[in-house]
Amino acid sequence: MPVEFLGIAATNNGSEATPRSGAAFDKEYTLRLARAHEDHGWDRVLFAYGSGSPDPAPAAAYVASRVDRLQILLAHRPNVSYPTFAAKTFATLDQISEGRLTVHFITGGDDREQGREGDTLTKDERYARTREYIRIVKKIWTTHEPFDHEGEHYRFHDFVSDVFPVQQPRPGVSFGGSSPAAYAAGGAEADIYCLWGEPLVKTAEQIEAVKAAARAAGRADTPRIQVAFRPIIAPTEELAWEKAHRTVGAIKERRARGEAVSKRRDAHARPQNTGSQRLIAIAEAGERYDRALWTPTAAATGGAGNSNALVGTPETVAQALLDYYDLGVDILSARGYDLLDDAIDFGRYVIPLVREEVAKRDAERAARGAQALAAVNG
């Protein structure tokens, strides 16, 4: 199966390890970073969402109109707009990008962060709302006659959109989470299910949970699986590990000054979302797993989002990513701590190695399939 690479469409040059040098929305840097991804073999970039961050939708429209091939993954929280409005926004962005949009729906795992924009629902209520929201958006994208909706969270009458996506029948839907409620919602509605990087055995367990949820929802297919990492690469193993320890040192220094942890939650609070709790538990159980997975980056941020690293030479990191590919992961998400330079280096030195090996494996698999078919027919 084909493999895809997802990078980050940051709107400034800040990271957990380094403070930003300009405004929250640095237009020139945003475009420069996107073009670096397009020029170095990446397939798509994520425009993330935060309560106080620049609005990702217009930032995505700005980039989409200025790049040629790069696909857009737009993060969206259902609490911030009505689904009728959101569906039109997404359709318009798919038109601007000429059919390169996927929407990543975020339920929200932190009550404090959700409350910043007036969301007072419980976590279970948020998941129910997200499922209803996604279904409405899908229907708006594909329905050309006015319709009514009477649901638990949304009610409207006689609505029909006058703008439709380029993609037919609709753009892709992306979803993430590590709780049973997340598996149930994403297994039912998502085209792509997103996980944070964990040890191989735990990732395999999560993939099976997603597949089981899809079957329970009556689906004949299952979502594609995406897994996210923070690669730290260098020409030699020794240099890569020196770089890794420098990176963690910088994260800890910024966190000690109250700078490095996302403003979405208290720097010292135990995270509420299951994904972050899992990352902390994995870090507490050990620093190194499998070929190259390293957890101190997650520990240093308190499990804040995508934070487990893959450390080593490009060859080592590529082989580690292929281990996940062999589990059934075909979208690999990566972002470094120096966003621009790391995107370029990863694109130059890691992506080609993974693509080459995937092509070999796919060719071998096809040959075995042809041989088996010939044996049956022979």
Side-chain angles (χ1 to χ4, degrees):
M1 58 184 169
V3 64
E4 296 182 9
F5 289 90
L6 169 70
I8 189 70
T11 58
N12 61 72
N13 64 352
S15 77
E16 297 92 331
T18 57
R20 73 182 191 224
S21 61
F25 180 50
D26 181 334
K27 187 169 69 172
E28 288 72 24
Y29 181 85
T30 300
L31 183 56
R32 186 182 176 194
L33 181 61
R35 285 177 170 162
H37 282 86
E38 181 166 80
D39 292 343
H40 292 88
W42 298 78
D43 296 286
R44 59 167 60 90
V45 287
L46 167 66
F47 286 82
Y49 191 94
S51 60
S53 301
D55 187 346
Y62 167 72
V63 166
S65 66
R66 288 163 174 81
V67 297
D68 298 322
R69 301 177 305 279
L70 196 64
Q71 298 176 55
I72 303 300
L73 179 59
L74 178 70
H76 180 76
R77 289 184 187 167
N79 60 290
V80 300
S81 68
Y82 217 70
T84 50
F85 175 85
K88 294 185 296 180
T89 300
F90 304 147
T92 304
L93 182 53
D94 199 52
Q95 291 282 345
I96 292 170
S97 67
E98 300 179 324
R100 287 177 280 146
L101 175 70
T102 300
V103 182
H104 180 67
F105 291 91
I106 302 173
T107 297
D110 186 283
D111 293 343
R112 184 178 178 186
E113 167 66 4
Q114 295 300 122
R116 290 187 172 112
E117 293 186 285
D119 189 3
T120 59
L121 298 186
T122 66
K123 188 175 181 180
D124 286 346
E125 290 170 336
R126 292 198 295 267
Y127 275 112
R129 177 183 61 192
T130 300
R131 292 181 72 165
E132 184 178 347
Y133 196 99
I134 293 173
R135 289 169 180 166
I136 292 169
V137 168
K138 287 179 178 177
K139 187 170 183 179
I140 292 170
W141 281 340
T142 56
T143 301
H144 292 260
E145 298 295 331
F147 69 96
D148 301 338
H149 179 82
E150 292 283 346
E152 180 181 358
H153 297 280
Y154 302 103
R155 295 173 179 82
F156 55 85
H157 304 281
D158 198 37
F159 180 83
V160 63
S161 178
D162 195 31
V163 57
F164 290 90
V166 171
Q167 298 177 77
Q168 294 298 315
R170 58 172 177 79
V173 167
S174 172
F175 190 91
S178 297
S179 67
Y183 299 143
E189 300 296 336
D191 302 302
I192 298 170
Y193 199 98
C194 307
L195 303 169
W196 288 333
E198 296 187 1
L200 289 164
V201 65
K202 292 187 176 294
T203 300
E205 291 169 358
Q206 291 206 80
I207 291 172
E208 288 307 311
V210 173
K211 290 180 178 179
R215 290 193 297 269
R219 291 179 60 169
D221 63 340
T222 56
R224 298 173 66 195
I225 301 297
Q226 173 184 302
V227 178
F229 303 96
R230 306 300 293 272
I232 301 175
I233 62 171
T236 68
E237 295 291 329
E238 181 180 11
L239 290 174
W241 285 104
E242 288 178 1
K243 183 178 178 181
H245 288 289
R246 285 198 309 272
T247 299
V248 167
I251 294 171
K252 289 179 177 179
E253 288 178 9
R254 293 203 67 209
R255 190 177 189 187
R257 296 194 299 267
E259 298 174 358
V261 175
S262 168
K263 294 180 181 179
R264 297 179 192 177
R265 62 178 175 84
D266 188 304
H268 302 290
R270 191 79 175 180
Q272 294 179 335
N273 62 305
T274 303
S276 292
Q277 292 172 5
R278 288 174 65 100
L279 294 186
I280 291 173
I282 290 166
E284 290 174 344
E287 287 194 357
R288 296 180 65 170
Y289 294 86
D290 306 320
R291 289 183 194 266
L293 191 72
W294 196 53
T295 65
T297 45
T301 62
N306 170 25
S307 51
N308 270 339
L310 292 176
V311 182
T313 63
E315 292 78 11
T316 296
V317 171
Q319 288 300 318
L321 292 170
L322 287 162
D323 290 338
Y324 288 89
Y325 175 81
D326 289 340
L327 289 181
V329 177
D330 64 346
I331 303 176
L332 300 168
S333 173
R335 61 184 170 101
Y337 290 94
D338 183 332
L339 300 178
L340 181 62
D341 288 347
D342 286 346
I344 293 170
D345 286 347
F346 189 88
R348 282 177 174 167
Y349 303 119
V350 178
I351 289 178
L353 295 176
V354 176
R355 290 199 193 281
E356 180 181 3
E357 185 60 31
V358 166
K360 289 180 182 178
R361 294 182 187 197
D362 288 350
E364 291 170 357
R365 188 178 297 113
R368 289 194 298 271
Q371 291 173 356
L373 183 61
V376 170
N377 295 332

